[in-house]
Amino acid sequence: MIKRTKRDGSRRAAIGLSDAALAELNGRPTELATAPPDPDSESAWMADGNCRLHPPATFFPSDGVGVDKARKICRDCPVKARCLDYALDERIDHGVWGGCSERERRRILKSRSDETAVTV
């Protein structure tokens, strides 16, 4: 059984805060202290995502409310389309990627396969 702890209500008050304030609330640095991404790597675009300032668990929710929270973070992300394409190309089954839930990505993939079957 998974042990659950009480949620801190201060996270809900974080709506409307700057990236720096959110990063501080999440216990993450505003600018990640890592080497800059290799611009030639396939995943270099990830360094520009809004998700870098939030805990990974935010994007792997267990309920619909969590999905909505992740979508709000993705809404104005500069790499949203690239993120969704990556998740679809890699067939990632879990989490919110590019503002789309697991179910939405399955529908997109199904519609793509249906379109391919019709054109062949």
Side-chain angles (χ1 to χ4, degrees):
M1 182 182 280
I2 298 172
K3 181 180 176 183
R4 304 224 181 233
T5 58
K6 291 184 179 180
R7 294 187 183 239
D8 183 10
S10 64
R11 289 186 188 260
R12 290 187 184 146
I15 296 172
L17 294 178
S18 68
D19 285 346
L22 281 173
E24 185 177 332
L25 264 176
N26 291 325
R28 292 181 154 218
T30 304
E31 293 298 323
L32 299 177
T34 60
D38 178 9
D40 297 328
S41 78
E42 291 182 24
S43 61
W45 57 270
M46 291 181 181
D48 296 327
N50 290 348
C51 55
R52 74 188 183 283
L53 298 174
H54 299 274
T58 303
F59 300 94
F60 296 91
S62 60
D63 60 1
V65 174
V67 171
D68 289 339
K69 180 179 178 184
R71 280 188 188 137
K72 286 180 183 177
I73 295 167
C74 295
R75 186 180 310 147
D76 60 343
C77 183
V79 295
K80 180 179 174 180
R82 178 65 186 102
C83 182
L84 178 58
D85 288 340
Y86 175 80
L88 294 171
D89 292 344
E90 298 297 323
R91 301 287 200 268
I92 298 175
D93 293 335
H94 303 289
V96 175
W97 289 79
C100 289
S101 68
E102 301 151 8
R103 182 176 293 164
E104 290 168 326
R105 290 195 311 277
R106 281 193 297 270
R107 287 181 189 150
I108 292 169
L109 288 171
K110 184 174 181 347
S111 69
R112 282 184 180 179
S113 66
D114 290 347
E115 289 172 8
T116 305
V118 169
T119 59
V120 172

